[in-house]
């Protein structure tokens, strides 16, 4: 690969390379430290436009880097309340290595949910069909939070295009150690009463204002706001404004959140962990307030063959705080194991 230009993201001794190698523990730790220290100054990437594709009657908005000569296809799946914009910080790094696809799930971003079909199960089916429609090959499926739950369930069902699974602070089966902080728990308790949630949420948004809600959406998922690139804050506001144009946004959010709680408490979701046959990497921020690391460690004790990588001092959406390091984990350059069980 030719040397990167001075303004190209990741231009450092620890930057991603086309020939992906596995870093030793010291190099991986150094990459995390560098990524955390320099992430705020990362320039906004030059991305392809958001386009649409028809998938089982749903107009899915997505970004597509186009077919890559070699390498895998990275399909990046956002979480509850997120959108394809959540993955923009890691796009430049992964696009060097393969094709990159980032869809808006049904009910989120700019993708309308048909007939209220925004639940986890609905989006598992949509994602499965999406992989076929876009002709994704040699897929590395990457899911964050709810997107991780959706990706895990799809992998458990099996899909011929799927080669590897990467879960980023994914929702794991609920247990005593997997409880979020009280504020988050209270919010999901509200979602479990849809009529009340549909009354309260729009009024809360109106009181806070659309732009502030966009900023709040970043604040709640990071451990240190000072690490977030300046352009990410602007994009969060833009995405919040775009969401106001979706009439079904609030019902879709409530339905999806309710389905996360139901799925997370189900025996079938616990079984799904053991039913995944492709290699799995689980990336976890140890300062995640929504999906606590100790709960993840407890859940993953059932699948010791999974590769577990934990980032010290990082929150629920690692790509906002440490994009280079997160991309390196996704690409398979960093490996680890479960500790402090």
């Amino acid at each position: 690969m030719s040397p990167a230009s001075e303004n190209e993201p990741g231009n450092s001794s620890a930057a991603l390379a086309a020939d992906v190698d596995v870093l030793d523990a010291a190099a991986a730790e150094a990459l995390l430290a560098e990524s955390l220290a320099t992430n705020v100054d990362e320039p906004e990437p030059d991305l392809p436009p958001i386009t649409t594709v028809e998938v089982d009657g749903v107009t899915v908005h997505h970004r597509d880097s186009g077919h890559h000569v070699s390498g895998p296809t990275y399909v990046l799946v956002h979480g509850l309340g997120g959108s394809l914009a959540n993955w923009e910080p890691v796009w430049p790094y992964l696009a060097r290595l393969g094709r990159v696809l980032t869809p808006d799930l049904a009910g989120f971003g700019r993708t309308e949910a048909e007939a209220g079909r925004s639940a986890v199960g609905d989006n598992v089916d949509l994602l499965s069909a999406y992989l076929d429609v876009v002709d994704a090959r040699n897929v590395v499926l990457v899911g964050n939070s709810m997107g991780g739950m959706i990706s895990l369930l799809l992998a458990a069902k099996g899909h011929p295009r799927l080669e590897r699974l990467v879960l980023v602070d994914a929702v794991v089966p609920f247990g005593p150690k997997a409880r979020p902080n009280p504020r988050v728990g209270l919010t999901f308790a509200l979602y479990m009463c849809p009529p009340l949630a549909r009354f309260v949420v729009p009024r809360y948004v109106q009181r806070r204002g659309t732009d502030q809600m966009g900023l709040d959406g970043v604040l709640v998922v990071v451990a240190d706001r000072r690490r977030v690139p300046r352009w990410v804050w602007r994009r969060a506001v833009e995405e919040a404004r775009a969401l106001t144009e979706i009439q079904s946004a609030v019902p879709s959010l409530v339905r999806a959140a309710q389905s996360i709680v139901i799925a997370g408490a189900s025996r079938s979701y616990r079984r799904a962990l053991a039913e995944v046959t492709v290699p799995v990497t689980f990336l976890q921020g140890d300062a995640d307030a929504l999906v606590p690391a100790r709960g993840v460690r407890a859940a993953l004790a059932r699948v010791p063959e999974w590769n577990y990588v934990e980032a010290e001092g990082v929150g629920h959406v690692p790509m906002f705080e440490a994009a280079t390091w997160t991309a390196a984990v996704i690409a398979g350059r960093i490996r680890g194991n479960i500790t402090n069980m």
Side-chain angles (χ1 to χ4, degrees):
M1 187 176 74
S2 60
S5 67
E6 289 187 5
N7 295 323
E8 191 171 2
N11 181 22
S12 69
S13 60
L16 289 182
D19 51 337
V20 177
D21 57 329
V22 179
L23 301 180
D24 61 27
E29 185 176 350
L31 178 58
L32 176 58
E34 180 181 16
S35 188
L36 291 173
T38 61
N39 200 61
V40 69
D41 295 319
E42 285 291 303
E44 182 173 2
D46 183 17
L47 303 174
I50 297 173
T51 57
T52 61
V53 60
E54 293 298 314
V55 182
D56 286 351
V58 178
T59 302
V60 175
H61 290 70
H62 74 151
R63 275 201 176 97
D64 182 356
S65 68
H67 285 282
H68 199 272
V69 175
S70 62
T73 300
Y74 297 100
V75 180
L76 314 178
V77 187
H78 66 78
L80 183 73
S83 73
L84 55 77
N86 289 32
W87 297 104
E88 291 173 356
V90 299
W91 184 287
Y93 310 100
L94 297 179
R96 296 177 183 179
L97 307 177
R99 183 185 183 190
V100 183
L101 290 158
T102 54
D104 276 339
L105 295 173
F108 299 94
R110 293 164 176 78
T111 300
E112 287 267 16
E114 295 294 324
R117 297 182 60 192
S118 63
V120 165
D122 298 321
N123 273 305
V124 170
D125 293 339
L126 182 69
L127 182 59
S128 179
Y130 172 80
L131 297 181
D132 294 327
V133 170
V134 298
D135 190 26
R137 304 172 187 177
N138 308 318
V139 172
V140 177
L141 186 58
V142 186
N144 175 226
S145 191
M146 177 189 75
M149 172 182 267
I150 290 168
S151 299
L152 193 157
L153 288 169
L154 176 56
K157 291 174 63 176
H159 195 291
R161 296 178 182 271
L162 184 59
E163 291 194 349
R164 190 159 63 87
L165 178 66
V166 181
L167 304 174
V168 181
D169 290 74
V171 178
V172 295
F174 296 158
K177 295 182 179 181
R179 294 171 182 167
N181 67 35
R183 182 178 178 182
V184 174
L186 190 61
T187 300
F188 274 85
L190 172 66
Y191 290 143
M192 293 306 292
C193 182
L196 180 61
R198 289 169 186 160
F199 176 81
V200 171
V201 172
R203 284 156 182 79
Y204 179 75
V205 173
Q206 185 176 31
R207 188 173 80 248
R208 292 291 288 169
T210 299
D211 289 5
Q212 187 59 49
M213 287 299 297
L215 300 177
D216 289 348
V218 177
L219 287 170
V220 75
V221 297
V222 299
D224 188 342
R225 62 185 296 174
R226 294 171 296 181
R227 300 170 180 153
V228 180
R230 297 171 183 86
W231 63 268
V232 168
W233 297 98
R234 176 183 55 76
R235 288 289 293 119
V237 171
E238 290 175 354
E239 290 297 292
R241 291 175 179 173
L243 194 60
T244 62
E245 300 177 8
I246 304 297
Q247 296 296 319
S248 61
V250 172
S252 293
L253 174 69
V254 173
R255 177 73 182 106
Q258 186 181 33
S259 71
I260 291 173
V261 175
I262 294 171
S266 68
R267 291 182 180 179
S268 61
Y269 190 44
R270 291 184 182 277
R271 290 195 300 269
L273 273 67
E275 293 168 354
V276 176
T277 58
V278 297
V280 181
T281 294
F282 200 112
L283 185 167
Q284 177 67 32
D286 78 344
D288 188 339
L290 280 74
V291 179
R294 65 173 187 164
V296 171
R297 297 188 205 110
L300 298 195
R302 299 170 177 267
V303 281
E305 68 275 16
W306 288 13
N307 179 39
Y308 178 77
V309 183
E310 191 168 290
E312 183 178 357
V314 174
H316 187 60
V317 181
M319 44 279 198
F320 284 173
E321 297 184 81
T324 308
W325 181 85
T326 302
V329 176
I330 293 171
R333 291 190 72 200
I334 297 174
R335 298 175 186 170
N337 61 335
I338 298 176
T339 58
N340 303 320
M341 293 296 296

